[in-house]
Amino acid sequence: EKKNTDLLNAYAEDLKAVQEIFILGKDDPPIADNAPPHAGAVTWCRGLVERVEDPMNRLKGVGKAVLESEEGKEIVRAHSAIMASLRDFEVQHVDNWCLEQESTGTEKLKQNLLRREEDQEHPYLRVNFDPALVCLLREVKYFTMLKIEVPESAMSIYAKNETYRQQTGNLDLIVNIYN
C-alpha cells in the first residue's frame, strides 16, 4: 500500500512537470534544428504524450485498486486533462499547417525558377525556388514519418520532391558557373 502511494505521488509530480513544460513551451515549442516548424512541434508534443502515457499504462498493469483509490482517481483526472490539451495542441498544429500549405504549394510552383538580380552594377542570376516550398516538402516528409494524414495537394507536390531537388541543384551549379 505504501509503495503504491509512493508510485502515485511520483507520477503526480511527473504529471505536474509535464504540464509546466507544456504550458511554458506551447507558444514556442522547442524543436530540433533540422525539423520543420509544425512537424517539430508535433514531435515535441508526442514526446510529452509518451512521457505521460508509459507510466500510466504501467500503473494500469499494477492493479485496479491502485487507480481506484482517492489519489488514483485524481491522477486519472489530471492525466485525462493533460492528454486532452496535448491532443488539441497536435490537432491545432496539423490543421494550421494544412491551411498554410493550401496557399503555399501551387502558387509557389508557378514562379520562375531563375531570376535576374539587377540591383547591382553587374546583374547576376539567382535560383528562385521558394524557401516556403522547401519547408512544405520537409513538413510532408516529417508528417508522413509521424503517420499523420497529409492533404492530397501537398502529397502531389511531395511526389515530385526528388525531381525538384535535382533540378534546383543543377540550376545552382549552372548559376554559379554563369555568375
Side-chain angles (χ1 to χ4, degrees), residues 5-163:
T5 307
D6 290 344
L7 272 175
L8 290 175
N9 289 336
Y11 184 56
E13 290 299 315
D14 201 32
L15 285 176
K16 287 177 188 171
V18 167
Q19 188 171 21
E20 286 177 23
I21 291 168
F22 177 68
I23 290 169
L24 292 173
K26 70 180 177 181
D27 294 329
D28 186 23
I31 58 174
D33 292 337
N34 63 338
H38 293 286
V42 169
T43 303
W44 171 74
C45 177
R46 287 195 175 177
L48 293 177
V49 167
E50 191 175 313
R51 183 172 168 180
V52 169
E53 276 297 302
D54 286 348
M56 183 55 130
N57 291 335
R58 290 182 183 181
L59 281 175
K60 287 177 182 175
V62 169
K64 288 186 177 182
V66 175
L67 293 176
E68 289 175 356
S69 67
E70 219 30 61
E71 296 101 351
K73 288 178 183 176
E74 191 168 319
I75 284 175
V76 169
R77 279 192 295 273
H79 172 265
S80 298
I82 291 171
M83 288 301 295
S85 57
L86 289 171
R87 283 193 190 100
D88 289 345
F89 178 83
E90 181 176 328
V91 167
Q92 176 189 2
H93 266 275
V94 172
D95 290 346
N96 287 348
W97 176 76
C98 288
L99 292 174
E100 283 177 22
Q101 72 81 31
E102 300 251 340
S103 62
T104 303
T106 52
E107 295 299 317
K108 302 289 183 186
L109 281 174
K110 293 177 183 174
Q111 295 177 352
N112 293 334
L113 276 176
L114 288 177
R115 191 162 91 190
R116 184 177 294 278
E117 295 287 333
E118 300 192 24
D119 306 357
Q120 301 163 348
E121 188 177 316
H122 303 290
Y124 65 96
L125 285 178
R126 184 171 79 82
V127 177
N128 190 33
F129 194 73
D130 199 296
L133 269 174
V134 175
C135 188
L136 179 130
L137 293 170
R138 290 177 62 228
E139 291 278 9
V140 172
K141 177 183 176 183
Y142 277 78
F143 278 145
T144 52
M145 288 189 322
L146 292 169
K147 295 178 176 50
I148 293 175
E149 192 172 326
V150 177
E152 188 58 42
S153 59
M155 280 307 287
S156 65
I157 293 171
Y158 182 72
K160 300 173 188 164
N161 179 30
E162 190 60 28
T163 305

